Amino acid sequence: MSGPASWLSSVAGAAFVSAVELDGVQVGQFMLSRPLVLGPLLGLLFGVPETGLALGLCGELLSLDDLPLGGNLPLNVTVAVSAALLLTCGPRPVPPELALPAGLLAGWAHRCLETSLRHRRREYSSLAESRVRQGARPPWGRLIAGALAEQAAGTFAVLLVCVFVAGPALRGLWPYAPRVVVVALAWAWWLAPWLGLGSAAYALRVNA
Amino acid sequence: MSGVLSPRMQGRLFGRSLLLQSAWSFERMQSLGFAFCLEPWLERCWHGRAGELSAARLRHQEFFNTQPYLASLVVGMVCALEEEAAGAAAAELPAKVARLKALKTAAASALAGMGDAWFWGALRPFCAVLAAAGAWALWERPRWAAAWAILAYLAAHNGPALLVRWGFLRRGYAWGDQIAARLKAWPGQRGVKAVRLAGLALAVACAVLLLNDVPADRKLPGALALAAAMGLRALRVSAFKVYAAVLLGGLAAGLTGWL
């Protein structure tokens, strides 16, 4: 495994993830943002392919049955896995067993943020409609670019908090963590792929 | 008005359909993206008829939601019906528009169910376990394993998905209001079951690879965790909650001196 990434590399990684995250719902849906694609890709970029794979596998299998149907907005697993990887190989690295639950919390925080962004976007419909009623063409470019920029900025903000606040804080606290916490985190990390496989097998049940 | 969906127009609609969910909102879901996607076609159909063009733009900003890949079929169908409406006599226009709106709503609902079963319920989990199985098999060479996971997932998913998204635009246009009858003839459900079965076989292969890789004293806890996760998913507990329960259970076991 290579050494910790610099602050600049971590910020660049966060910016990269913010752009790729748009693939999840808003642009294309080419699966570039799935954990088993983005995790290994970030792992390769940061020189930690094994960690990227491990986090990507856990995130992918645990989220396989969370279907993006209608208004269902599950925890953002793209942000979760990326945050965990940036925490694992960032300037203040933490072990993956701690980074995974911290990343999941980041994914949950992103979900809350995205909920409010999706509510806000009703204004875009109103604006488009009022322009049509005036006999004009809706400003499509501005509307769509605005929605995408807001989403990317939200993702970037969540990841920056992970890099600049959560990473150093967790790194500082980790040596003082009680042994029981360390053992429980290691246990959950070790079992995560098994839990993910169970979830995947359930998702693939033939008579669904 | 062209009368045909030219490859250039198909390309424009396809490119725009990739942004179908770009402004997704709880209130109208994909409506803004759908209206954006149709814009070049509406401008062509209703060229020189500003009032009708505005009405067409407004009717496609109403609530719309379907599976994003199969949306191209609805886009194609709506193109055919808009073209038909634009060519109709003024007296027939209200009836044509009402029919268009009813067919669009019905097709969106039906295709949402089908698309969710095909893509989210079968293809995506299959691609995930395909990528995972290869990655576990190549685990000793992490760079190769990472490259496999990325390429296998993207190729296995995007191959069929892009074919459907591109091809269904033209089919939707050609089928028009016959979409429901044409889709009945598709062997979709059998395909879904076959992909799920193949995925399940790969998931079993993953479990075998994982079992071979752990020390003997850890095989049983791993297998039990897998079975417990399946059982809890059947009770509609999300996988992340199962993970959180394992973490909290580990803490509790540690505090009571059991772990």
Side-chain angles (χ1 to χ4, degrees):
Chain A
M1 181 172 154
S2 63
S6 66
W7 293 105
L8 191 62
S9 304
S10 296
V11 172
F16 174 70
V17 172
S18 305
V20 174
E21 193 276 333
L22 296 174
D23 168 78
V25 173
Q26 291 174 284
V27 182
Q29 297 186 306
F30 298 118
M31 301 294 124
L32 296 168
S33 61
R34 289 303 299 169
L36 200 38
V37 174
L38 188 57
L41 185 60
L42 283 177
L44 286 171
L45 290 175
F46 281 96
V48 288
E50 202 164 350
T51 310
L53 254 181
L55 288 168
L57 272 167
C58 292
E60 182 70 42
L61 296 176
L62 288 171
S63 67
L64 214 47
D65 220 9
D66 277 339
L67 301 180
L69 306 179
N72 179 38
L73 184 54
L75 173 157
N76 190 314
V77 73
T78 304
V79 170
V81 167
S82 309
L85 196 104
L86 290 173
L87 287 172
T88 307
C89 63
R92 301 282 182 271
V94 300
E97 58 264 36
L98 175 61
L100 181 61
L104 292 176
L105 280 177
W108 176 80
H110 189 279
R111 175 191 179 277
C112 299
L113 182 70
E114 193 172 352
T115 302
S116 84
L117 287 177
R118 287 183 176 202
H119 281 298
R120 255 174 62 88
R121 285 186 207 136
R122 74 170 60 172
E123 293 165 17
Y124 290 123
S125 297
S126 307
L127 179 63
E129 219 170 66
S130 70
R131 290 294 291 268
V132 174
R133 288 189 198 285
Q134 290 161 11
R137 188 182 194 204
W140 295 118
R142 187 154 63 88
L143 294 174
I144 287 171
L148 298 181
E150 279 179 0
Q151 177 81 10
T155 306
F156 191 54
V158 169
L159 292 174
L160 286 189
V161 169
C162 288
V163 169
F164 287 104
V165 181
L170 291 172
R171 171 76 175 184
L173 291 171
W174 184 241
Y176 306 104
R179 190 180 167 277
V180 62
V181 172
V182 175
V183 172
L185 283 168
W187 180 241
W189 169 246
W190 183 77
L191 282 177
W194 295 96
L195 299 172
L197 263 181
S199 175
Y202 180 77
L204 285 159
R205 66 200 185 282
V206 177
N207 291 322
Chain B
M1 208 168 75
S2 73
V4 288
L5 183 66
S6 66
R8 187 164 178 271
M9 178 58 81
Q10 187 180 4
R12 287 183 76 187
L13 294 172
F14 173 77
R16 284 170 172 249
S17 75
L18 301 179
L19 292 166
L20 179 76
Q21 302 200 117
S22 55
W24 200 101
S25 72
F26 285 115
E27 194 186 37
R28 302 197 197 178
M29 300 203 170
Q30 299 163 338
S31 65
L32 205 70
F34 191 84
F36 167 71
C37 177
L38 275 182
E39 180 72 25
W41 186 258
L42 295 181
E43 283 183 344
R44 174 174 288 190
C45 281
W46 302 101
H47 183 69
R49 297 158 73 181
E52 282 95 339
L53 176 59
S54 293
R57 280 173 172 154
L58 283 176
R59 67 175 159 264
H60 293 299
Q61 286 184 40
E62 290 171 8
F63 177 92
F64 178 78
N65 195 50
T66 192
Q67 204 279 340
Y69 298 167
L70 294 193
S72 57
L73 201 56
V74 186
V75 171
M77 179 194 78
V78 167
C79 285
L81 297 177
E82 282 289 347
E83 190 175 47
E84 192 184 320
E92 291 176 350
L93 191 55
K96 293 274 184 198
V97 168
R99 183 164 152 270
L100 181 157
K101 286 167 82 168
L103 283 169
K104 179 184 164 189
T105 306
S109 304
L111 291 172
M114 277 176 66
D116 291 342
W118 288 359
F119 292 102
W120 304 151
L123 185 62
R124 194 180 77 168
F126 169 80
C127 295
V129 289
L130 176 71
W136 265 314
L138 293 166
W139 197 260
E140 298 303 318
R141 303 171 77 183
R143 285 183 188 278
W144 284 99
W148 162 266
I150 296 165
L151 296 176
Y153 202 133
L154 292 180
H157 191 278
N158 286 318
L162 284 173
L163 272 177
V164 163
R165 296 169 93 172
W166 174 259
F168 270 21
L169 258 175
R170 186 161 290 282
R171 282 181 195 272
Y173 179 73
W175 292 348
D177 58 4
Q178 300 300 309
I179 276 187
R182 297 296 189 115
L183 281 176
K184 265 187 191 169
W186 274 59
Q189 200 53 35
R190 270 180 302 175
V192 166
K193 286 202 171 183
V195 172
R196 279 173 170 273
L197 197 60
L200 202 55
L202 281 170
V204 172
C206 288
V208 171
L209 284 169
L210 208 51
L211 269 175
N212 282 340
D213 214 28
V214 296
D217 62 328
R218 292 209 158 185
K219 289 185 194 298
L220 184 61
L224 285 175
L226 189 150
M230 284 183 75
L232 287 166
R233 286 297 300 121
L235 296 172
R236 304 206 175 278
V237 181
S238 85
F240 288 117
K241 285 183 182 160
V242 177
Y243 168 80
V246 165
L247 185 53
L248 294 174
L251 276 174
L255 288 171
T256 55
W258 186 75
L259 194 65

